[in-house]
Amino acid sequence: RDEAGGWGALVAYLSLFGPGILLLLAVTPFWAMLRKLSLFADFLAGINAAGAGFIAAAAVMLTMHAIVKAHHAAAAMASVALAVVFKQSVPACILGGGLVGLLLSEHVLNLGMATYCASSQ
């Protein structure tokens, strides 16, 4: 019987979330004052833009490896269309894209099997 598992989990939890929680508790009293400073507001806007840029770059990099065949591209386009044109929720977009990918796969309709963006090896 391993009794150290619970203590190890507690130490891991505190090590992972403790610094962020302490930082949050330390900054919270000053947050309203800091947000009123134009220099700090500009800094936050820059951090927000950098975060959005990193998310966009990650999405592009993942897409380049995920879309290998035409039916993958069709599933991605269906998901984007559901999100942007039809304003559907994220789960609906994921399920819709998955359904399109399944219907066009070699297991159902056998459409869209040509290599598309990346090389399939």
Side-chain angles (χ1 to χ4, degrees):
R1 180 172 121 154
D2 184 15
E3 295 181 20
W7 289 109
L10 179 63
V11 168
Y13 176 81
L14 292 174
S15 299
L16 183 64
F17 295 109
I21 291 171
L22 289 175
L23 181 64
L24 178 70
L25 292 174
V27 172
T28 300
F30 309 106
W31 190 253
M33 180 191 64
L34 287 172
R35 287 187 60 177
K36 292 177 185 174
L37 299 174
S38 63
L39 186 64
F40 190 72
D42 292 342
F43 176 72
L44 289 179
I47 288 177
N48 192 25
F54 278 122
I55 290 170
V60 168
M61 291 168 52
L62 288 171
T63 301
M64 291 174 61
H65 295 288
I67 299 178
V68 178
K69 298 188 180 226
H71 74 286
H72 299 153
M77 288 187 288
S79 292
V80 169
L82 283 171
V84 175
V85 177
F86 299 106
K87 309 285 189 233
Q88 295 298 309
S89 65
V90 172
C93 297
I94 292 171
L95 290 174
L99 183 62
V100 168
L102 174 66
L103 289 175
L104 298 179
S105 72
E106 66 266 13
H107 302 294
V108 181
L109 297 177
N110 198 23
L111 299 173
M113 293 296 110
T115 300
Y116 188 67
C117 288
S119 62
S120 60
Q121 297 173 1

